[in-house]
Amino acid sequence: MSFGELALKLGMLLVFFGVMIYVGFYCRRHSTDVNGFVLGGRNVGPWLTAFAYGTSYFSAVIFVGYAGQFGWKFGIAATWVGIGNALIGSLLAWVILGRRTRIMTQHLSSATMPDFFEKRFSAPSLKIAASVIIFIFMIPYTASLYNGLSRLFRMAFNIDYSVCVIVMAVLTAVYVIVGGYMATAVNDFIQGIIMLIGIVAVIGAVLGSKGGFMASLSGLSAAQDPGIANGTVPGIFNSFFGPDPLSLLGVVLLTSLGTWGLPQMVGKFYAIRSEGSIHKGTIISTFFAIVVAGGCYFLGGFGRLFAEELGAAAGGNPAGGFDNVIPTMLQSLSPFLIAVVIVLVLSASMSTLSSLVLTSSSTVTLDLLKGRLIKKMDEKKQLLIMRVLIVVFIVISAALAIVQANSSVAFIAQAMGVSWGAMAGAFLAPFLYGLYWKRTTKRACWASMLFSSIFMIVDMLANLKVLNISLGFLQSPINAGAFCMIAGLILVPLISVLTRAPEKARVDEIFSCYSRKVVVTAKDSIETEE
């Protein structure tokens, strides 16, 4: 690597990091109380909220891990995952959850998802259970965010992965601790712009290196993989649904519908300014998802064009693993585009990391510690504890990421899929029905949370060979997570009907937030009075 190339890459990184830190200190005036630190004072506009939603959704795990893995398995049909993310995970999520979440959470004075469960169902036990689930499953999810960076940084700088993890962790901690939610939202907007521009430029360059789109599509038609069903069918990897439509559907469901139950995603609706902002945010968020998610999976779908550079392992998989697919596709790019990719992946990872640690720290502080382990906790002490916990969560996740990268431990990589599936399966149905259906009971919510948490832990232990059981199609954490979400959507109404209905007066008071009196002026009739 020449000095000029190194200077270009380092220069872009330093500018990027400088802007992030500046935004953190600029936004500290918004983080002087708990409401401002956690929710930005519920006064965040549509652009910032939409980009915060999108950048929290799509991390380096998507760009490097999922795009490479599912692009290799499904070919160009992997683009359906990105389309599903845009239409189900963004558009429908905003339309179905956005307005009702914003109105009811403000009515209940709820700042977190566990707090919503307590106040909506008059059940402090649900609040504790939800907080514990978030605490258990959020840390491995957070640790997995670093995984996508190791190969890219080794390719671009030939530096130790640990250095990258530590720098990213420290910088993220600084701007989140100083500026809170508002700093996270503003930085997410900047990082989102980088992601939009970067993914378009990278797709054009990668396909250009293989002769353009049509030539790349033609080359993909010749790809074969004897290791998977239908893998030897000519043209299967550039077909409409790829070699395994059922598994593809499972990926679409988990990565799309799953966002409806993830606390760091739903929490974005708590903070948006107004109903008009929700309409604008819906359009912006959907466009962002189409470009970024659709672009990532579309790019990954051409991974088999680089099979010779990747080499083959047993079963037809890439020799370096699926995480090596995207870095191999990028290594022939110009120094400038490689620098853009590095900043793109850092943007994706830091935005999601900041959202996760802010969600984790606020949940533990407000839902577990306040009023229980620490009886008296004023605003100043709550802010201090949240900031300390942000450091704790980031240190633990960074340490786990470094341990996993320097050993053969596969726990973190597998736990990411389990984490997403467990939280989405546990919370999606209780939250959705809680917003719309008065008859929803706390026992039904308990059933959904327990079923998904236990099933996903069993699935993880089976994959790690701790339990000697075979779950068949559900052995995959992706399919298991999708199954838990669907099961929750069935269990909650079924058990709600079979159990005692909640107190009518209390539920009517909660749902009264959706009905408001509007006084209008009627014009006099021009008809002649009789």
Side-chain angles (χ1 to χ4, degrees):
M1 183 189 306
S2 69
F3 176 78
E5 293 178 7
L6 181 61
L8 174 65
K9 295 171 185 175
L10 288 177
M12 291 181 67
L13 282 179
L14 289 175
V15 171
F16 173 74
F17 291 144
V19 171
M20 299 299 105
I21 298 300
Y22 171 78
V23 168
F25 281 93
Y26 178 79
C27 292
R28 61 183 170 179
R29 59 192 173 91
H30 295 283
S31 58
T32 55
D33 58 21
V34 172
N35 187 47
F37 189 81
V38 177
L39 298 175
R42 294 186 189 265
N43 193 37
V44 184
W47 284 90
L48 292 185
T49 303
F51 272 69
Y53 184 92
T55 55
S56 297
Y57 194 167
F58 309 117
S59 68
V61 176
I62 303 294
F63 182 73
V64 177
Y66 280 12
Q69 177 180 350
F70 300 129
W72 184 271
K73 286 184 175 181
F74 303 125
I76 202 69
T79 309
W80 281 111
V81 182
I83 295 172
N85 291 174
L87 298 183
I88 301 173
S90 294
L91 177 62
L92 285 182
W94 278 75
V95 169
I96 294 174
L97 299 180
R99 176 180 178 272
R100 295 182 81 92
T101 298
R102 175 64 175 83
I103 293 173
M104 186 176 282
T105 56
Q106 183 174 19
H107 179 64
L108 296 174
S109 298
S110 169
T112 65
M113 185 178 276
D115 190 44
F116 169 83
F117 288 134
E118 178 190 33
K119 293 174 178 175
R120 166 63 180 86
F121 299 105
S122 302
S125 58
L126 274 181
K127 180 178 183 177
I128 296 173
S131 302
V132 171
I133 291 171
I134 292 172
F135 178 77
I136 291 173
F137 290 104
M138 196 71 87
I139 288 180
Y141 183 12
T142 306
S144 69
L145 295 177
Y146 302 97
N147 290 342
L149 298 172
S150 60
R151 298 181 189 274
L152 287 176
F153 265 76
R154 198 168 292 128
M155 173 191 72
F157 297 106
N158 197 27
I159 61 173
D160 187 67
Y161 170 54
S162 302
V163 175
C164 164
V165 170
I166 293 170
V167 170
M168 174 181 158
V170 169
L171 291 170
T172 304
V174 169
Y175 78 73
V176 177
I177 288 171
V178 173
Y181 183 86
M182 188 59 75
T184 299
V186 174
N187 276 331
D188 285 350
F189 179 76
I190 297 170
Q191 292 160 351
I193 296 294
I194 295 170
M195 291 166 68
L196 285 172
I197 296 172
I199 193 64
V200 173
V202 167
I203 290 173
V206 170
L207 296 187
S209 70
K210 293 295 182 179
F213 172 65
M214 293 308 297
S216 298
L217 206 59
S218 177
L220 196 62
S221 67
Q224 293 188 349
D225 187 349
I228 62 173
N230 298 324
T232 57
V233 177
I236 195 67
F237 290 107
N238 67 350
S239 62
F240 200 64
F241 290 120
D244 191 356
L246 189 60
S247 293
L248 177 62
L249 178 62
V251 177
V252 172
L253 285 177
L254 180 67
T255 62
S256 302
L257 194 60
T259 61
W260 296 27
L262 295 179
Q264 75 275 13
M265 302 298 297
V266 175
K268 300 298 184 290
F269 300 134
Y270 289 39
I272 199 164
R273 180 184 299 144
S274 64
E275 191 167 330
S277 294
I278 291 174
H279 296 310
K280 295 176 184 176
T282 302
I283 299 170
I284 299 165
S285 179
T286 304
F287 171 77
F288 183 90
I290 287 175
V291 175
V292 174
C296 285
Y297 288 107
F298 177 75
L299 176 65
F302 290 95
R304 288 183 179 270
L305 296 180
F306 297 80
E308 186 176 338
E309 294 93 321
L310 284 161
N317 292 330
F322 293 118
D323 288 349
N324 202 36
V325 174
I326 296 296
T328 300
M329 297 173 73
L330 304 176
Q331 64 186 4
S332 62
L333 300 182
S334 68
F336 174 75
L337 278 178
I338 289 178
V340 169
V341 169
I342 295 300
V343 175
L344 184 158
V345 175
L346 268 175
S347 298
S349 298
M350 291 177 70
S351 57
T352 307
L353 177 63
S354 62
S355 178
L356 293 178
V357 296
L358 188 59
T359 300
S360 302
S361 65
S362 59
T363 295
V364 172
T365 302
L366 302 177
D367 302 326
L368 278 181
L369 300 180
K370 182 182 176 184
R372 288 182 172 84
L373 298 180
I374 303 176
K375 297 298 182 183
K376 294 182 179 180
M377 191 186 293
D378 57 20
E379 289 257 336
K380 188 175 180 181
K381 185 177 286 187
Q382 290 174 50
L383 286 172
L384 176 62
I385 292 174
M386 277 190 279
R387 287 177 165 127
V388 170
L389 286 175
I390 286 171
V391 175
V392 171
F393 283 124
I394 285 183
V395 168
I396 293 174
S397 64
L400 286 174
I402 292 172
V403 168
Q404 194 270 329
N406 292 290
S407 69
S408 59
V409 178
F411 173 78
I412 302 301
Q414 293 200 14
M416 188 274 163
V418 174
S419 297
W420 185 302
M423 287 191 291
F427 301 142
L428 188 156
F431 189 80
L432 178 62
Y433 286 115
L435 290 177
Y436 278 89
W437 191 33
K438 294 181 179 181
R439 188 64 173 76
T440 310
T441 66
K442 65 180 180 182
R443 288 185 174 85
C445 297
W446 264 110
S448 177
M449 291 184 189
L450 288 175
F451 177 83
S452 294
S453 300
I454 294 171
F455 188 90
M456 292 307 297
I457 290 173
V458 170
D459 183 83
M460 179 182 66
L461 295 176
N463 279 295
L464 294 173
K465 309 301 181 185
V466 176
L467 294 178
N468 187 25
I469 59 173
S470 176
L471 298 174
F473 177 71
L474 298 179
Q475 192 85 11
S476 162
I478 299 290
N479 296 334
F483 167 74
C484 285
M485 287 186 291
I486 294 171
L489 291 171
I490 297 171
L491 280 173
V492 169
L494 179 63
I495 295 177
S496 291
V497 169
L498 296 175
T499 54
R500 182 180 177 183
E503 183 184 346
K504 185 177 186 304
R506 168 65 177 157
V507 175
D508 286 343
E509 191 280 325
I510 292 173
F511 276 77
S512 68
C513 63
Y514 296 138
S515 303
R516 59 183 178 179
K517 292 182 179 179
V518 179
V519 179
V520 297
T521 301
K523 293 182 179 180
D524 292 334
S525 173
I526 61 173
E527 296 177 2
T528 304
E529 294 184 3
E530 296 183 0

